[in-house]
Amino acid sequence: MGTGFISTGWMELLKHFKKKLVLLFITALFLFLVFTVKTPITYKSIPKPSGPPSACSMRISEQTITPLNNTKHFLVSAYMDQRVKDFDIRIIGIFRRDSIQPLHCFFCCAGYLSRTTPAAILQHPDNFGFPFVTTDVMCQIPRNCNATHVTLLTTPDKQSPSNHPWLPIRNKDTVGQKEENMQFDFTICISNLFGDYNNVLQFAQTLEMYKLLGVNRVVIYNTSCGPELDRLLQSYSDEGFVEMVPWPIDKHLNPSRGWLHSEHGGDLHYFGQLTTLNECIYRSMERSRYVLLNDIDEIIMPYQHKDLMSLMNMLRNQHPNAGVFLIENHIFPKKHFEPSGRFHLPQWNGVPGINILEHIYREDPARNIYHPHKMIVRPRMVEMTSVHEVIKNFGERYKVPLDVCRIIHVRVALQGSLTLEQLNVDKRLWDFQEKLIPNVDKVLKRVGMLKLTQN
């Protein structure tokens, strides 16, 4: 009896255990079905994070000159610029004057395409009779759009964005930083190199002189130049002192080698000089306290200060509201040489170009005719510039006295009839010769152009 009772007890316990096992299996199966069937539906309802849609990144222009669809115009670059009321973006372009039409700004926002906004088209006043002119296009960013790229449409409808070139919007992340925190103190904008220009020695001397004066960066828009100068530019670019901007304007237009259409012909003034000068100001606006606008053979030289920063500190203290400082141009005719020959150095024989240390005779400007200036500007206070003067700015302009600062410009005489006795002796460059000469030697040696004949 005891054994039977125990067997019956175990049977009952086993039945109870089986019921619980079945119940546990059913519960586990139910939970398995819930998580394997329903969870994917839940996941599908959560959008994956994404950057700008591929539609507006298909044709992001990496060119410095970009044809604009359905027009005769070209786009160069786009910058954040909120200094003019009701606008956020300034697009710098080259437009055909007789084909201006309404345009519409179209933005790639962070994650979607915007609605279009009407564009304001501002032709620069200095066109010198050429059919193409530097043009600014002003855009307003739509509300709630974190714009990263912009293009222009000829109709307000959203045309297929893949067919349009998108320009990245620059200066977005640096707008508003303090001037004293900028990357550079001084940037020089060299508007254009073209043809077979190969003045290597003068160029090396000029750049090394600017280093001694405190310049941090030189921006050069390069269409073409001679082979030796190209080597020198590449060396400076590798060093980080020169920023080379490709400028293939001759692939798109017939650029003029002169400044006046009636005399020189062509599509555009002087290989697009006005476009590159304005582009360089905006390129430098959020990274350089001052920008020097001058030609490749000109040196803006302080005559009472050891460097440009000492000069500008004095000028800023005296004229705190000025944003444009006009510097008078003075010609040093290259046909007249310093008689002693002390700077006719043998190691520079065979280097193409002019030795500026040998030219100390300076013309007095003819005051009865227009006399051009070049400029030092605070880029944030400039909206639009020409070659010799600013067209639109936000502060005052100040003409710097010639005894304080002037341009040393060694070139063909402007007043060829002047005799040597009618010229002024100006040896300001010689004040820097102890450092200038070895620095020039060093860079020429680096590119294999120094004639090693010295003992």
Side-chain angles (χ1 to χ4, degrees):
M1 253 180 92
T3 305
F5 176 79
I6 294 171
S7 297
T8 305
W10 275 106
M11 291 295 293
E12 290 295 324
L13 187 62
L14 188 61
K15 285 181 183 179
H16 181 69
F17 180 76
K18 282 183 178 179
K19 286 180 182 178
K20 283 193 172 183
L21 192 64
V22 170
L23 183 61
L24 186 63
F25 175 77
I26 293 171
T27 304
L29 181 63
F30 174 79
L31 291 173
F32 174 79
L33 291 173
V34 167
F35 281 99
T36 56
V37 176
K38 299 211 177 223
T39 301
I41 298 173
T42 306
Y43 283 158
K44 285 180 182 176
S45 68
I46 300 174
K48 293 182 179 180
S50 62
S54 60
C56 69
S57 60
M58 287 178 65
R59 279 197 63 199
I60 295 176
S61 177
E62 296 180 354
Q63 308 303 312
T64 49
I65 303 171
T66 304
L68 178 61
N69 290 10
N70 306 317
T71 75
K72 298 178 180 179
H73 312 319
F74 301 89
L75 305 181
V76 177
S77 51
Y79 290 93
M80 182 72 77
D81 183 10
Q82 297 175 315
R83 298 172 302 166
V84 179
K85 187 181 177 185
D86 297 328
F87 294 108
D88 303 297
I89 301 295
R90 183 183 302 265
I91 300 173
I92 298 172
I94 300 170
F95 280 31
R96 187 173 175 93
R97 292 162 55 211
D98 63 4
S99 302
I100 303 297
Q101 69 228 75
L103 293 172
H104 306 269
C105 307
F106 191 29
F107 292 94
C108 175
C109 309
Y112 66 96
L113 297 173
S114 75
R115 62 180 176 83
T116 59
T117 58
I121 301 172
L122 308 175
Q123 295 185 57
H124 287 222
D126 284 353
N127 57 59
F128 304 106
F130 290 95
F132 285 83
V133 64
T134 303
T135 302
D136 292 351
V137 180
M138 305 298 291
C139 298
Q140 186 178 58
I141 299 175
R143 254 183 104 184
N144 301 321
C145 169
N146 180 15
T148 59
H149 298 79
V150 63
T151 190
L152 295 173
L153 308 179
T154 53
T155 66
D157 304 323
K158 291 184 181 179
Q159 304 160 12
S160 173
S162 61
N163 297 328
H164 292 270
W166 292 89
L167 298 181
I169 298 171
R170 303 182 185 183
N171 291 355
K172 266 193 71 182
D173 300 327
T174 52
V175 169
Q177 71 171 321
K178 291 182 179 180
E179 195 177 82
E180 56 269 23
N181 294 335
M182 290 184 176
Q183 184 179 3
F184 306 121
D185 288 323
F186 293 94
T187 294
I188 298 176
C189 293
I190 304 294
S191 57
N192 301 86
L193 274 181
F194 58 86
D196 56 357
Y197 185 85
N198 206 36
N199 190 351
V200 173
L201 184 55
Q202 183 171 5
F203 187 76
Q205 290 172 331
T206 299
L207 261 60
E208 293 302 324
M209 187 65 248
Y210 271 127
K211 282 186 179 180
L212 295 176
L213 291 174
V215 170
N216 313 104
R217 174 61 64 96
V218 178
V219 181
I220 299 177
Y221 293 77
N222 185 24
T223 301
S224 63
C225 62
E228 288 84 7
L229 184 57
D230 188 59
R231 272 162 55 199
L232 183 68
L233 288 172
Q234 187 58 55
S235 176
Y236 276 119
S237 180
D238 293 343
E239 177 190 309
F241 184 59
V242 165
E243 179 180 351
M244 296 294 294
V245 181
W247 188 246
I249 188 67
D250 53 342
K251 301 294 189 294
H252 301 280
L253 295 171
N254 174 28
S256 177
R257 290 175 175 262
W259 69 276
L260 191 62
H261 182 259
S262 60
E263 291 184 13
H264 306 103
D267 292 327
L268 181 67
H269 165 268
Y270 209 57
F271 275 71
Q273 181 185 30
L274 294 178
T275 306
T276 55
L277 284 176
N278 282 273
E279 208 282 335
C280 191
I281 286 177
Y282 283 89
R283 178 180 292 260
S284 307
M285 192 166 286
E286 296 300 325
R287 65 178 185 177
S288 189
R289 295 179 68 183
Y290 301 102
V291 169
L292 284 67
L293 303 172
N294 56 269
D295 290 342
I296 199 168
D297 56 355
E298 298 172 335
I299 299 173
I300 295 179
M301 176 63 77
Y303 273 69
Q304 297 180 9
H305 301 83
K306 64 178 182 178
D307 54 34
L308 288 166
M309 186 55 79
S310 302
L311 167 70
M312 294 312 300
N313 286 341
M314 185 268 290
L315 292 175
R316 286 280 297 272
N317 285 333
Q318 294 178 352
H319 308 279
N321 297 321
V324 178
F325 300 87
L326 297 158
I327 314 296
E328 192 169 84
N329 192 18
H330 285 249
I331 306 298
F332 290 64
K334 67 178 184 177
K335 67 179 181 179
H336 297 299
F337 289 81
E338 187 273 324
S340 76
R342 63 178 289 198
F343 293 112
H344 186 79
L345 304 179
Q347 69 267 30
W348 293 346
N349 289 339
V351 180
I354 298 167
N355 179 358
I356 60 176
L357 290 171
E358 294 189 280
H359 303 283
I360 61 171
Y361 299 103
R362 173 172 51 82
E363 293 181 1
D364 269 334
R367 302 293 177 187
N368 59 329
I369 60 173
Y370 173 73
H371 185 61
H373 292 72
K374 293 298 171 68
M375 295 172 283
I376 302 175
V377 302
R378 297 166 64 186
R380 285 181 172 179
M381 298 180 73
V382 175
E383 185 181 350
M384 191 181 289
T385 192
S386 187
V387 179
H388 301 295
E389 59 184 359
V390 165
I391 297 169
K392 288 184 180 180
N393 64 295
F394 297 98
E396 298 172 359
R397 308 178 192 190
Y398 177 67
K399 191 175 290 188
V400 180
L402 59 88
D403 64 322
V404 175
C405 182
R406 66 169 71 105
I407 294 174
I408 295 176
H409 191 182
V410 180
R411 48 153 286 173
V412 174
L414 201 62
Q415 303 173 67
S417 61
L418 294 179
T419 65
L420 199 60
E421 291 71 30
Q422 293 174 298
L423 301 175
N424 304 285
V425 174
D426 187 333
K427 299 179 180 179
R428 174 59 171 155
L429 280 172
W430 290 10
D431 294 340
F432 299 88
Q433 57 93 10
E434 286 187 7
K435 292 182 179 179
L436 179 62
I437 292 172
N439 289 354
V440 172
D441 284 349
K442 183 179 178 181
V443 71
L444 292 177
K445 182 179 180 180
R446 194 167 66 209
V447 296
M449 282 188 265
L450 188 68
K451 189 175 181 180
L452 299 174
T453 59
Q454 333 67 313
N455 294 326

